[in-house]
Amino acid sequence: MFTFTTLASGSGGNAALVSCGNTHILLDAGISAKRITAGLHALGVAPHQLSAILLTHEHSDHVSGLRVLTKKAGAPIYATHPTCQEWYRKNRCDQVNDLFRPQKAGVGVQIGALWAVPFPTPHDAAGSVGWSIASASGRMVLCTDLGHVTEEVRQAVAGCDLLVCEANHDAGWVRSGPYPYYLKQRILGDYGHLSNEAGAELAAFAVEYGTKQVILAHLSQQNNTPVRAYETAARRLLAMGCNPERDISLAVAPRDETGPTYCLKEAAVC
């Protein structure tokens, strides 16, 4: 069975587990190793059973638990070469550095029963990528932390069974909120984060190409709510004739706790 579960998803930290049989991949490690370990144990997986850790980029909300977690896990860490270099520059930990397996965007790697391919994402981080992960029974795509949707992103998303899609903020709330000007510009810029509307467009594109499960992710704590993100995406899907309560599975990943486990090809929560 090919499954996906978020352990946390938001501006405060991100981590998720992809499993297929005895293959277990951790996607990002942006919460404490203690929380990651607890989340894994709740899913029946111990840290030493991880087959690999895949990183999207080196920002703290995606790597903050990595150093401590590797003491328990010891799994190879796949990330782009710029991400590996930047992480080491900031942390100077040889134990983690020895586990890095630099991966070029667009080049896949076989990890047990799963085939993982990173694809470039436009974000203000070194070598930022999303991940496409496939098994014999389906394919999922993690696509968060990007300021706009590129052709490479569309190509990676098209035809996937499950899409984890960024819906970071309500653009109007960011503009009218208390953030300093430079931070507003970063969030709203081409190398920032997708708004609810932009995320909804990407979700609609994916559904048009056959996606049956969409999980809205990486929501801002200050500039978004799960209801706001869901309603924006639902309206866009309804406009294209897709009922999100009947035709597909549309959900929002919890920010600070483990979410439901989704089974690919079954279009349902396990």
Side-chain angles (χ1 to χ4, degrees):
M1 185 181 293
F2 186 11
T3 63
F4 172 82
T5 312
T6 56
L7 306 182
S9 181
S11 50
N14 299 270
L17 180 70
V18 179
S19 294
C20 185
N22 293 323
T23 302
H24 305 289
I25 294 176
L26 185 71
L27 279 167
D28 282 332
I31 54 178
S32 70
K34 182 178 180 180
R35 287 179 61 195
I36 292 173
T37 300
L40 291 175
H41 278 308
L43 298 171
V45 178
H48 72 269
Q49 292 177 298
L50 289 174
S51 308
I53 299 171
L54 308 184
L55 301 181
T56 57
H57 60 294
E58 90 290 349
H59 285 169
S60 62
D61 59 324
H62 295 263
V63 300
S64 62
L66 186 64
R67 185 170 186 163
V68 175
L69 182 67
T70 55
K71 296 177 181 179
K72 301 178 180 180
I77 304 167
Y78 293 91
T80 62
H81 186 63
T83 294
C84 297
Q85 284 187 314
E86 188 64 15
W87 189 94
Y88 187 74
R89 185 187 70 80
K90 292 177 179 178
N91 295 275
R92 298 293 177 184
C93 177
D94 290 335
Q95 178 184 351
V96 174
N97 196 52
D98 289 343
L99 295 171
F100 277 135
R101 304 291 185 268
Q103 197 71 16
K104 190 174 182 180
V107 177
V109 58
Q110 189 75 43
I111 303 171
L114 296 170
W115 176 251
V117 183
F119 58 92
T121 51
H123 192 48
D124 56 352
S128 179
V129 294
W131 284 92
S132 171
I133 303 176
S135 76
S137 61
R139 184 170 71 92
M140 66 143 293
V141 171
L142 176 76
C143 189
T144 64
D145 295 79
L146 64 163
H148 66 282
V149 176
T150 64
E151 184 57 32
E152 288 168 307
V153 168
R154 291 188 185 91
Q155 289 177 7
V157 166
C160 71
D161 299 286
L162 183 152
L163 171 64
V164 184
C165 176
E166 181 167 53
N168 178 255
H169 60 272
D170 179 289
W173 291 4
V174 174
R175 294 188 182 97
S176 63
Y179 280 0
Y181 178 76
Y182 80 89
L183 184 53
K184 293 181 180 182
Q185 292 301 103
R186 174 189 174 269
I187 293 169
L188 299 172
D190 281 347
Y191 294 88
H193 293 278
L194 291 187
S195 66
N196 287 339
E197 289 76 12
E201 287 298 327
L202 181 57
F205 170 85
V207 170
E208 185 177 358
Y209 278 83
T211 297
K212 293 299 182 183
Q213 300 184 82
V214 175
I215 304 172
L216 305 175
H218 208 290
L219 273 65
S220 166
Q221 183 74 43
Q222 292 78 23
N223 298 299
N224 210 355
T225 67
V227 171
R228 189 81 169 182
Y230 182 93
E231 289 181 344
T232 302
R235 281 196 302 270
R236 179 63 183 88
L237 293 173
L238 285 168
M240 63 181 286
C242 174
N243 188 325
E245 296 182 0
R246 182 192 64 217
D247 301 325
I248 68 160
S249 170
L250 175 66
V252 180
R255 292 190 186 96
D256 301 313
E257 60 189 35
T258 299
T261 295
Y262 295 88
C263 303
L264 274 76
K265 285 295 187 184
E266 296 180 13
V269 176
C270 296

